Amino acid sequence: MAKQKKAAAPKSRRSFWGWVKRVVITLFIVQLVYIVALRWIDPPITLTQLGSLLGGDGLKRDYVDGSEISPNMKLAVMASEDQVFPDHGGFDWKSISKARKHNEKKPQRVRGASTISQQTAKNVFLWQGRSWVRKGLEVYFTKMIEWIWGKERILEVYLNVIEMGRGVYGAEAAAQAYFKKPASKLTRREAAMIAASLPNPKKFTVKPLHPQVLRRSAWVQRQMAALDGDADIQKLLQ
């Protein structure tokens, strides 16, 4: 007895999945082109910046070339946020493991372990939050900018888009707002103060000077001194 042929899927269903496939492919190509373009051009605006603007915090930013940002500022954020930035491929697995163990023991005091690469991916392409969907996309965009941009560009974009105060984004805007000078002229102490605020820049303010910023900036300066002899760090300060 001959086997009966499988009934063909309804035309409407085939059309629907064909449409979905075309949309997915188009979105993939668009985001890939956007990532590549940002290797050379500055992000027009981020979701975080847009939220700040619409939420009433305002938006102070002034994108500058990496050469116009003081080496002190570059060193300060690496000392504060990601001391192995030159060496990892986007993720600091040792810090992630420590943070996970800490968060299991003290869920009321969650500790993060995001690298500069992860923070850049999140701030440029995504929204704030802790959902699994956002974290999954963060992994994807982190690896893509590591492959396409490289460390120097990641650090440059990070220092231009990261929130450094209420409505203040990037090193240039922060330098002007807090010290009335360009980012290229920031001293070690000033850079350390800005970097010290990064865990929560709306709460830990540089101006007025929050006690936590004062305490943490001293630690940041000690870490900067310890990293001075690292050849890989020094390459990123040029």
Side-chain angles (χ1 to χ4, degrees):
M1 189 174 176
K3 289 184 180 179
Q4 289 185 338
K5 289 184 178 179
K6 261 188 167 181
K11 186 176 181 181
S12 59
R13 189 184 300 175
R14 293 199 305 271
S15 298
F16 171 75
W17 287 113
W19 176 82
V20 170
K21 183 179 179 181
R22 287 193 296 273
V23 169
V24 170
I25 292 173
T26 300
L27 289 175
F28 177 79
I29 293 172
V30 168
Q31 63 82 33
L32 183 58
V33 169
Y34 187 56
I35 294 172
V36 173
L38 292 185
R39 173 68 179 82
W40 295 280
I41 65 173
D42 296 321
I45 194 166
T46 69
L47 289 176
T48 304
Q49 292 172 356
L50 185 60
S52 176
L53 185 60
L54 298 178
D57 287 339
L59 178 56
K60 300 183 185 72
R61 68 172 195 178
D62 188 5
Y63 292 156
V64 294
D65 189 78
S67 62
E68 297 177 66
I69 299 175
S70 168
N72 293 324
M73 191 70 251
K74 297 175 184 178
L75 180 60
V77 294
M78 286 189 280
S80 173
E81 299 294 296
D82 187 358
Q83 296 191 7
V84 293
F85 174 64
D87 307 313
H88 61 62
F91 306 94
D92 181 357
W93 298 111
K94 188 178 291 185
S95 293
I96 290 172
S97 177
K98 287 180 181 178
R100 181 175 54 79
K101 290 175 182 177
H102 173 274
N103 297 339
E104 287 173 355
K105 292 179 181 177
K106 299 180 180 179
Q108 73 280 8
R109 296 180 63 186
V110 176
R111 176 187 295 173
S114 292
T115 62
I116 285 175
S117 302
Q118 287 175 270
Q119 292 181 52
T120 305
K122 177 184 70 177
N123 278 281
V124 172
F125 301 104
L126 302 171
W127 61 94
Q128 303 299 318
R130 294 182 177 275
S131 70
W132 285 108
V133 171
R134 196 200 64 75
K135 290 301 290 184
L137 289 171
E138 181 183 304
V139 170
Y140 169 77
F141 282 111
T142 297
K143 292 307 297 184
M144 291 299 283
I145 63 174
E146 280 279 341
W147 291 332
I148 295 172
W149 294 5
K151 296 294 185 180
E152 287 185 15
R153 179 58 177 167
I154 291 173
L155 185 59
E156 179 181 322
V157 173
Y158 174 84
L159 285 167
N160 275 303
V161 302
I162 196 73
E163 185 177 25
M164 294 181 165
R166 190 174 294 276
V168 178
Y169 290 85
E172 182 67 19
Q176 296 289 353
Y178 305 137
F179 304 111
K180 308 299 181 188
K181 62 169 64 173
S184 61
K185 301 295 184 184
L186 287 169
T187 66
R188 280 205 166 205
R189 177 178 174 275
E190 292 164 347
M193 289 169 66
I194 294 173
S197 75
L198 294 181
N200 192 340
K202 290 180 180 176
K203 179 180 178 181
F204 303 137
T205 56
V206 176
K207 188 178 181 180
L209 184 60
H210 193 284
Q212 172 68 7
V213 171
L214 183 61
R215 288 191 294 270
R216 184 172 168 79
S217 64
W219 174 84
V220 172
Q221 288 183 79
R222 291 195 295 272
Q223 299 306 303
M224 291 169 72
L227 293 175
D228 269 336
D230 188 305
D232 293 328
I233 292 279
Q234 290 300 316
K235 287 179 184 176
L236 293 172
L237 302 183
Q238 298 172 3

